[in-house]
Amino acid sequence: MIPIRAGTAADIEPLLDVWEALMACGTEADPRFRMARGARPHMRDYMRSWFAPQPFPPVFLAEHDGALVGAVRGFPSLIVPVVERAPTVRIGDLYVADAYRRQGLARRLVDTLLLSAREAGYPRAEVGTLTLDARAVAFWKGVGFGDWMVTLSREPESP
């Protein structure tokens, strides 16, 4: 079984590779979702902020033969005191390399994050995914997530 461990700031470079692979999957599912030019250095800076102190580890990683083959990231969601809901972990990213899919690794990564968050006092979870990524939508529903809110967008009109 592929081990899962909490990530650290020392994992940022391999995490950037995973993030770029995740972005490519998003673009494949919906061409409107594409990585901006020069995004990697900005993402590196942003990833550093992930490892600031928080109530539970922000990233869990799966490694096989020294290579990062899966990752999940979560963070405490800002609770606005006008909607009644339990403290919430927001899942920001999930990726498993092609060769390791359909083996339960994504579910294990998510379960590890959710257990860690629950133990830290965050029993509720949210995730967003691309509407046109049917595989991702099916995965999230398959691990117990359901519809709650919908984010709609309006693209700029073409000249």
Side-chain angles (χ1 to χ4, degrees):
M1 182 177 291
I2 295 172
I4 293 175
R5 67 171 176 85
T8 69
D11 296 306
I12 287 177
E13 289 306 313
L15 270 170
L16 283 166
D17 295 338
V18 166
W19 173 75
E20 286 182 346
L22 177 61
M23 294 294 287
C25 289
T27 303
E28 184 179 317
D30 186 341
R32 297 173 296 177
F33 185 85
R34 57 190 173 275
M35 188 168 59
R37 287 189 187 160
R40 189 176 175 107
H42 297 290
M43 191 62 189
R44 181 181 293 112
D45 291 341
Y46 176 57
M47 280 185 181
R48 287 185 185 111
S49 74
W50 295 0
F51 297 100
Q54 71 175 48
F56 50 86
V59 178
F60 287 93
L61 307 173
E63 290 177 309
H64 186 251
D65 291 334
L68 191 58
V69 298
V72 65
R73 176 180 73 98
F75 51 92
S77 179
L78 176 64
I79 300 294
V80 180
V82 297
V83 175
E84 196 169 308
R85 63 184 178 143
T88 301
V89 56
R90 173 80 179 175
I91 299 173
D93 301 288
L94 171 65
Y95 178 78
V96 172
D98 288 343
Y100 298 88
R101 291 185 181 163
R102 311 229 28 104
Q103 299 174 32
L105 184 55
R107 179 183 291 267
R108 287 182 49 232
L109 283 162
V110 169
D111 287 347
T112 301
L113 172 65
L114 295 182
L115 176 62
S116 179
R118 191 170 41 254
E119 288 174 347
Y122 292 79
R124 185 175 178 278
E126 293 179 350
V127 67
T129 194
L130 295 171
T131 304
L132 296 180
D133 192 340
R135 183 180 56 186
V137 171
F139 169 79
W140 289 113
K141 288 185 176 185
V143 296
F145 286 76
D147 298 338
W148 180 54
M149 294 180 85
V150 175
T151 301
L152 303 173
S153 70
R154 181 175 173 176
E155 300 297 321
E157 294 180 21
S158 300

